[in-house]
Each structure stands twice: as structure tokens, then as C-alpha cells.
Amino acid sequence: DVLAVRGVLGTRAGSVVWSAVEHHAVLHTVVDAGGRTIPVDGRGIVDLDALAAALGPDIALVSVLLVGNETGTIQPLAAIAEVVRERAPGALLHMDASQALSWLDLRVHAADADLVTLASHKCGGPKGIGALVVRDGVELAPQLLGGGQERDRRAGTQNVAGAVGFAVAAERAAA
């Protein structure tokens, strides 16, 4: 989540819009960056009218939690993406799908996202490993410097055992 938000803001001018029900990993990062909060309705669904009103050419990123970790609410990402593409065509769409990995087909639910965050421990894998899926052509400024790992997006030795454990857990969740 942090790499998605800060990585985008490190390569694009503009601000971030995020939903009021984001995980603290997004919340603290966006608040630090001076982002704007979009309200949700009584069911925890992003208010699309408020989202549309908050968007414009000054927005670089919109971040949405696909499945609420406390409520189980599933956001209508296709509708959110449509509003973003219409009102802020230069903005990228980040989706935190950590809670969704075991329950939803992300090929369908993540199709409109430019960046997708996943967490291994949410699908039965080891703690401390995650993934940020980045659409081709999206540039990110690295947040950890000192090496060329991860296509220059992140320095440091890869946690191979953790990645293999994550892959096995994700395959089992998909099955």
C-alpha cells in the first residue's frame, strides 16, 4: 500500500483521494501526503457522487479497499473506475485486495485497477510478504533505495521462501 501511494506520488504531480474505510497502511500514508477522504454510505460503499465531486486534473491516484477487512463490504470497483476515468482521466486507480484474495476472482474484480495490493497472510500464507501488482506502463518511485531488485522499484534481497509460501497459499485459495 505504501509503495503504491508514495511510488505514484513520486512520479506524478497531484494528490490522492481515498475512501473513508481504507486500511491504516493507506490511511496514514495518504494523510501524510495531504490526500482527500471520500465518504461511504451506511453499508460502507464509496459515495460515487462525492467521488466524482472530488476528482479533477489535480488527482494523481485514487485508492480503494476492495473488501472491507471489518465489514466484508465489496466495493463496486468497475463503477468507481468509470467515475475516475471520466472525471480524472490522468489518475491511477489503486485497489487494496488483501482481504479479497481468498474470496473473489481478482481477474474480474481487479480488471480496472492500475495497482493491486495483496497480503500473503490473508490467504493462509506466511506473514511479512506481500505483492504489488502494477499494470504495464505505470511508473513508481522506489521507496527503499540501494539496489536494482524488483525492476528498480524496491531495494533488498528478495524473501524467496516467503514468496514461494505466498504462491502456494494463493494457488490453494484460487482452487
Side-chain angles (χ1 to χ4, degrees):
D1 287 336
V2 174
L3 177 57
V5 174
R6 289 187 185 208
V8 167
L9 292 179
T11 62
R12 293 169 169 248
S15 185
V16 183
V17 170
W18 62 289
S19 77
V21 292
E22 294 299 308
H23 186 275
H24 282 100
V26 170
L27 173 118
H28 293 292
T29 306
V30 171
V31 168
D32 184 60
R36 291 182 248 174
T37 306
I38 301 303
V40 297
D41 66 17
R43 297 170 297 145
I45 303 291
V46 170
D47 181 329
L48 295 177
D49 291 332
L51 175 62
L55 295 177
D58 63 322
I59 302 301
L61 180 69
V62 175
S63 185
V64 177
L65 183 67
L66 178 59
V67 176
N69 56 315
E70 295 177 357
T71 63
T73 299
I74 301 171
Q75 295 296 335
L77 195 70
I80 291 169
E82 185 177 324
V83 171
V84 171
R85 303 295 183 239
E86 178 183 308
R87 300 294 299 244
L92 297 174
L93 180 57
H94 167 242
M95 177 180 70
D96 182 340
S98 296
Q99 289 290 347
L101 189 55
S102 291
W103 309 106
L104 299 176
D105 183 347
L106 294 183
R107 292 171 295 190
V108 173
H109 289 276
D112 294 310
D114 299 298
L115 304 114
V116 179
T117 301
L118 304 168
S120 173
H121 67 282
K122 297 296 186 178
C123 67
K127 290 184 179 183
I129 186 102
L132 178 61
V133 181
V134 181
R135 186 179 303 281
D136 285 341
V138 173
E139 293 185 38
L140 295 176
Q143 301 305 297
L144 297 174
L145 304 175
Q149 296 85 354
E150 305 292 342
R151 299 183 187 135
D152 291 324
R153 292 180 178 142
R154 181 191 172 282
T157 303
Q158 289 92 347
N159 177 356
V160 175
V164 170
F166 187 4
V168 169
E171 286 176 352
R172 288 182 177 168

